[in-house]
Amino acid sequence: MMKRTVLFLSLVLLAAAAPPQPSPAPAPSPSPSPSSAAAPPAPRLSQAPVILIYPFDVQTGADPKIGIAIAQISAQEMAAAGGLEVPPIPQGVKRADFLEFARTQKADFYISGYVTPVGDTAAVVEQVVSVESGVILFSQTAQVQSVADVASQSLLARTQILTFVGRETQNVEAQASSTPAPSSTNGAKVPISGISSIVDSVFKHKGTRGGPSPAPTTKPSRGIIVAPVIATSALSATDLAGATSELFSALGHFYNVQMTTVTTAPAQSTETICGTNRDNTVAAGTMQAGRGAHNKLQYTLDLTIYTCFGAPIDHQVGKGGSYKAAVDAAVAAYTIAHPNNS
């Protein structure tokens, strides 16, 4: 009897220790075929921001064709530089309707401005507006006296737009370096009596007032890449942006200029700023404001021009009652010392 009991308990323990039989694996659900999978959203055909450029308003009763021509030159220059879409716009869109029309066209930004003839030059105010918010994101004022000056101003606006949309600096620089530097027209072809009418009606003296116009000069082949002006004292972002714009414009009267968005110290970043095009120089400015004689506000610009290898070519200091006056003084001193930018 005892043996049977022990045998029975052994069998029970062995049965308890035996591993459970595996459950049948569930049949895998069939994977969806490529034709049944949800299609991804169609990508946008172009990721380039869309810019509308309206004819500039012309002040003091001058020929409105001047404003139309400046807008066309700017549009052609930006399109040639790449990175932006600049579609044509119909004539007759009123300033009050600029924002709404840009929204109907699904534009990202629009540009408008004003032109005021001043003797043998013109003051051109250019504004970049965000279509999404309706806010002016960038504004610049420049004295222009040639088609090349208009082209240079448009390239600065293009650089600012690409900065707003967060494009990589390298891409911006690559596009800029592949664009012909502004010369007499830089390829701009205005289908009106355009270029010549601008020169005749705005950029030349009428009669003998102010004396003869200076003879046109050929810009040296070696260009300048302008870095953003940096503050060494309390200056507003508006002042710094304005000083950068004035530096770009002032140098553009004498040299072929580009703009960089590199914000690190230019002396240590010249190779990055120049990229593969080493036959350029880099203009770096620091500005401060303080009180001068008779307690008047005085701006000081320390301007240093570097080679693309980081070696300083020259250093000039300009002072004036406005940041424009300080920039003009420094640039004038550099152009006298280095007319060929070398």
Side-chain angles (χ1 to χ4, degrees):
M1 182 67 180
M2 182 63 68
K3 289 182 180 181
R4 289 180 180 178
T5 302
V6 172
L7 179 61
F8 176 75
L9 291 174
S10 299
L11 291 173
V12 170
L13 292 173
L14 287 172
Q21 293 297 321
S23 302
S29 56
S31 301
S33 63
S35 60
S36 64
R44 194 177 149 186
L45 292 179
S46 174
Q47 296 298 322
V50 177
I51 317 298
L52 298 185
I53 303 180
Y54 294 107
F56 284 39
D57 288 350
V58 179
Q59 311 293 313
T60 67
D63 189 344
K65 286 184 179 180
I66 297 170
I68 296 172
I70 286 178
Q72 290 179 345
I73 293 168
S74 299
Q76 291 167 13
E77 190 69 27
M78 285 189 177
L84 304 174
E85 289 185 14
V86 191
I89 59 175
Q91 295 182 4
V93 180
K94 297 181 178 179
R95 176 169 286 275
D97 300 324
F98 281 180
L99 180 59
E100 187 57 34
F101 180 79
R103 285 173 175 166
T104 64
Q105 301 301 302
K106 301 188 184 304
D108 299 293
F109 304 90
Y110 76 80
I111 292 176
S112 64
Y114 305 88
V115 184
T116 303
V118 182
D120 63 341
T121 66
V124 177
V125 178
E126 185 174 29
Q127 297 172 334
V128 177
V129 179
S130 165
V131 173
E132 180 180 4
S133 65
V135 173
I136 296 174
L137 298 178
F138 174 69
S139 179
Q140 60 175 328
T141 303
Q143 294 292 120
V144 299
Q145 58 184 4
S146 68
V147 175
D149 293 337
V150 177
S152 295
Q153 195 177 20
S154 69
L155 288 177
L156 179 57
R158 169 185 172 271
T159 299
Q160 293 296 327
I161 290 170
L162 291 175
T163 302
F164 292 143
V165 298
R167 290 298 173 88
E168 293 294 331
T169 300
Q170 291 85 350
N171 292 340
V172 175
E173 290 169 354
Q175 292 160 349
S177 64
S178 65
T179 304
S183 56
S184 58
T185 64
N186 200 18
K189 298 177 181 177
V190 182
I192 57 177
S193 49
I195 303 292
S196 60
S197 85
I198 291 176
V199 174
D200 292 340
S201 63
V202 181
F203 301 135
K204 286 186 177 179
H205 286 297
K206 299 177 181 177
T208 58
R209 182 178 52 139
S213 300
T217 58
T218 301
K219 296 179 180 180
S221 60
R222 194 180 198 191
I224 297 183
I225 304 175
V226 181
V229 174
I230 301 171
T232 57
S233 64
L235 286 174
S236 68
T238 302
D239 279 349
L240 288 177
T244 301
S245 175
E246 292 294 348
L247 180 59
F248 183 90
S249 177
L251 288 169
H253 285 301
F254 304 95
Y255 311 103
N256 297 317
V257 291
Q258 300 175 31
M259 189 74 190
T260 181
T261 55
V262 175
T263 56
T264 52
Q268 287 75 45
S269 307
T270 53
E271 291 192 5
T272 302
I273 292 171
C274 292
T276 57
N277 189 350
R278 318 299 288 177
D279 189 27
N280 280 315
T281 59
V282 176
T286 60
M287 177 163 282
Q288 61 180 337
R291 295 291 171 179
H294 307 293
N295 202 35
K296 290 184 178 180
L297 182 63
Q298 185 177 68
Y299 289 84
T300 301
L301 177 74
D302 283 273
L303 176 65
T304 304
I305 308 295
Y306 297 94
T307 69
C308 284
F309 300 96
I313 294 177
D314 195 8
H315 172 253
Q316 298 289 345
V317 177
K319 297 183 179 182
S322 66
Y323 56 71
K324 182 181 186 307
V327 167
D328 288 345
V331 169
Y334 179 75
T335 59
I336 293 171
H338 302 272
N340 294 320
N341 191 29
S342 60

